[in-house]
Amino acid sequence: MGRTGRKSWLWVAVCFAAAATLLIPVKLQTEAADPVAPPLLLGTAWYPEQWPESRWDADLTLMQQAGIHMVRVGEFAWSRMEPSEGQYHLGWLDRAIAMAAEHGIFTVIGTPTAAPPAWLTQKYPETLRMGEDGRRAEHGNRQQFNFANPKYRELARKIAEQLAKRFGHNPHVLGWQIDNEYAAESYDPDTKAQFQQWLKARYGTLDNLNARWTTAYWSQTYSDWNQIPIETHYGNPGLLLSWKRFVSDTWRSYQKNQLDVIRANSDARQFITTNTMGWFDGYDHYTVIQDLDLAAWDDYVGEGHLDPARNGAAHDLTRGFLRKNFWVMETQPGFVNWAAVNNSLDKGEVRAMAWHAVGHGADTVSYWQWRSALNGQEEYHGVIVGADGTPVPLYSEIKQIGNDFAKAGPVLEGTTVKSEVAILHSYDSRWAIEWQKHNRQYDPVAEIVSYYKPLRAISQSLDVIAPTAPLSQYKLVVAPGLNVLSDAEAANLIKYIRQGGHLVLGQRSAMKNVDNGLQTERQPGPLVDLLGGRVEQFYALVDPVPVEGDWGSGQGKLWAELLSAKDNDVKVLEKYGKSNGWLDGQPAAITRKVGKGRITYIGAWLDDATMAAAAKWMTDVSGVKPALGPVPEGVEVYPRYGRHGAVYILVNFSKTEQTISLPSQMQDVLAGGIKRSVTLPLYGVAVLSASR
Ligand code: GLA
Ligand code: GLA
């Protein structure tokens, strides 16, 4: 993480740290004066403002005993930090950070802007956001602020600046979380005016906007920028996509407002992040996260149990924002309070989930929250310590994770995920499909996971990245449902194929252009020439249709694209069986070699077995191999690579005990000893080092 180019700050920090270490006994590196956080961090969200200071030591002692080395604090404590305008009270936070440090615990400070104080919104009611129904939010919940309001930004910047000035050189502060889970937009008249200005900057002239949105349709032609409305669901597709892009840019500038003042007042050593929400698509995360030092997300299962594929893909998505290791800033200690049924994860599942996260590239796993607040909206949420201040049953499992992390941290230090296969993910495409599903059961994330799951089982490592990301390192790039394809994205994909890569497009790909308008060629639009074939017609399905071919006989559900192969060298991989007459006997999947590269189009949403066969074909033809070698079904392998070679994390998610034979002798980091095979019960974990 860390930032560069600010040597003077660093020097101040070193002096500060040197002074601090005389007073506080924390683990030191011999060559540097800063206290050093463990490489693999177990953390928790702690709210010292909710408790008397006389209680803090008992909580921090229990944390220390569990192996917790990080607390995130402050993200909702604005009324305590600034009880009236301009009166900043930060002494309590200083004392909390210092007391945590005495227990070997580092702090991440959350800026408190997701929860403005009552005096603020009373004094400046324009800082309250407005719903689509025209109603202003009120105090009493959180996220009631208007993300585009200049006054709110001014006040947010001031509190962030106060925090950064006070703690930006504190050696026990690892970094910053800006706000909390950006989500709530505002539809007030001022924000609408900003949107219209944004459109003017992007489109230049109304003629250009009218043409690109085809506003001749339904008399939507605009003759004044002020006529353009906000639409979020049923409007013109160009208008809908523009609003989302405006929202993304507005979150970016909302974040930058705080980021700039924290950067200017803090050590380069301190990272700046925010906590995202997995598949949440309220804004384009590639736009917003690019300015940060670190990506982090809040990983909640809610009802049911961990789905390693869907959750694993969300980890990979988060890692893909900055294409490096990330943090799990929040995760559930057993259960939540907001799902339909807030069942607990089973015994061992919380630990398996922590290792699942680390396997996917997390360097920190932090639990929300440490202890139940005595009142407030989340009284039922899972915790580590109860309202009475004593550990709940899960505490022992958290402690086990603490022990694990202490043992495995040194082995995993400096390691990252490296993959031969990438899945392309695009917010534009997900939104475009969500607005015009055409089949109400069509879930673009489920489509991504349908490809992800079998591909990951084979490759044992997968990246999830934006369609504009560099692709040359990958043997195989799969784009399920890349519905919107900009010219820049198309150019990136064409370059990849021409350089010898294998691109697989999934159903609904390349139908739309950058304005969410239809491409003027059939799907896959600008890739038709390379494919040597195209989509003749799409069909939304009520019942599944049969498919047969190289990948066996199976079914396609929800969606079927009738493909044609124009060029002689196009190979038909799978055909539709008898169904609606139009599809009967027609191509469902085609592929073509292009120089050293290859392009494949799959027009059907294949059942699991057929998709598994398709994944096997894709990986075989692209030369992708499993990182560790074959393992029993339900066992997940996560390789991480560093200076000393590979470290493999194994988790058993199958229902029964499994024995995994290893391709060579390996060090069993958690259990100890040199192994040729390991046996894992349900939710059992092994960390194996190939080289030590
Ligand atoms: C109605 C409208 C048309 C068109 C069709 C689509 O009939 O009059 O403009 O929207 O529905 O089915
Ligand atoms: C989110 C929030 C937390 C808390 C949890 C509860 O992740 O960031 O403040 O409300 O949900 O699950």
Side-chain angles (χ1 to χ4, degrees), residues 306-624:
L306 182 74
D307 174 347
R310 194 173 169 113
N311 197 76
H315 281 309
D316 293 341
L317 169 75
T318 309
R319 196 181 68 250
F321 294 153
L322 295 173
R323 284 181 281 118
K324 60 181 190 179
N325 291 8
F326 62 97
W327 279 28
V328 172
M329 191 60 94
E330 297 180 12
T331 188
Q332 67 191 57
F335 54 92
V336 299
N337 70 319
W338 43 258
V341 179
N342 298 305
N343 64 283
S344 175
L345 298 180
D346 290 344
K347 196 166 188 186
E349 193 175 358
V350 167
R351 176 173 176 252
M353 196 173 158
W355 276 108
H356 178 255
V358 174
H360 283 275
D363 285 336
T364 294
V365 176
S366 186
Y367 290 88
W368 195 96
Q369 63 173 329
W370 172 247
R371 181 177 177 184
S372 316
L374 294 181
N375 210 322
Q377 279 91 319
E378 296 171 303
E379 293 174 345
Y380 276 86
H381 202 284
V383 289
I384 303 172
V385 161
D388 68 331
T390 67
V392 302
L394 183 71
Y395 180 90
S396 60
E397 192 166 317
I398 300 291
K399 191 170 176 172
Q400 194 186 356
I401 300 168
N403 283 331
D404 288 352
F405 281 15
K407 276 189 197 165
V411 180
L412 284 163
E413 183 163 17
T415 61
T416 56
V417 177
K418 285 197 175 52
S419 309
E420 296 183 334
V421 184
I423 284 197
L424 303 184
H425 166 268
S426 138
Y427 290 95
D428 290 354
S429 295
R430 280 175 57 196
W431 292 324
I433 291 174
E434 289 286 357
W435 289 319
Q436 302 184 53
K437 278 178 181 272
H438 212 62
N439 182 331
R440 94 187 128 78
Q441 288 177 294
Y442 206 103
D443 170 0
V445 173
E447 182 184 356
I448 290 170
V449 175
S450 75
Y451 285 82
Y452 177 95
K453 191 175 176 177
L455 283 168
R456 191 185 198 290
I458 294 169
S459 61
Q460 298 174 341
S461 189
L462 235 165
D463 290 353
V464 177
I465 51 173
T468 47
L471 301 176
S472 57
Q473 76 177 85
Y474 301 108
K475 292 182 174 167
L476 172 65
V477 171
V478 181
L482 190 55
N483 192 240
V484 171
L485 188 69
S486 70
D487 292 349
E489 291 165 346
N492 197 35
L493 299 184
I494 290 167
K495 186 172 116 195
Y496 172 69
I497 299 165
R498 293 240 180 262
Q499 286 175 347
H502 180 191
L503 174 72
V504 177
L505 295 167
Q507 60 276 17
R508 296 184 84 150
S509 284
M511 182 184 188
K512 309 285 202 82
N513 65 23
V514 72
D515 291 302
N516 204 10
L518 295 172
Q519 300 269 4
T520 49
E521 278 177 285
R522 298 282 184 79
Q523 292 164 258
L527 297 165
V528 165
D529 282 349
L530 281 183
L531 181 63
R534 67 179 197 176
V535 174
E536 294 298 329
Q537 182 62 66
F538 56 82
Y539 298 92
L541 303 178
V542 176
D543 299 314
V545 297
V547 291
E548 64 211 9
D550 290 14
W551 304 334
S553 297
Q555 289 191 322
K557 66 174 181 182
L558 304 176
W559 197 263
E561 285 166 335
L562 189 173
L563 307 182
S564 66
K566 181 165 66 71
D567 292 271
N568 293 335
D569 54 347
V570 176
K571 179 168 162 41
V572 175
L573 295 163
E574 201 77 4
K575 286 183 172 177
Y576 295 103
K578 197 165 167 41
S579 57
N580 68 358
W582 302 109
L583 287 164
D584 301 6
Q586 298 298 318
I590 59 177
T591 189
R592 186 188 192 203
K593 250 178 135 310
V594 182
K596 283 190 184 140
R598 177 180 288 278
I599 177 169
T600 300
Y601 194 103
I602 302 175
W605 187 319
L606 301 171
D607 66 88
D608 291 353
T610 312
M611 185 54 98
K616 181 156 189 337
W617 175 84
M618 281 179 230
T619 48
D620 281 351
V621 82
S622 314
V624 173

Side-chain angles (χ1 to χ4, degrees), residues 109-133:
I109 300 178
T111 69
T113 50
W119 63 257
L120 189 157
T121 52
Q122 182 185 42
K123 195 166 172 186
Y124 307 106
E126 72 273 25
T127 63
L128 287 165
R129 81 189 160 79
M130 187 177 278
E132 281 192 87
D133 58 2

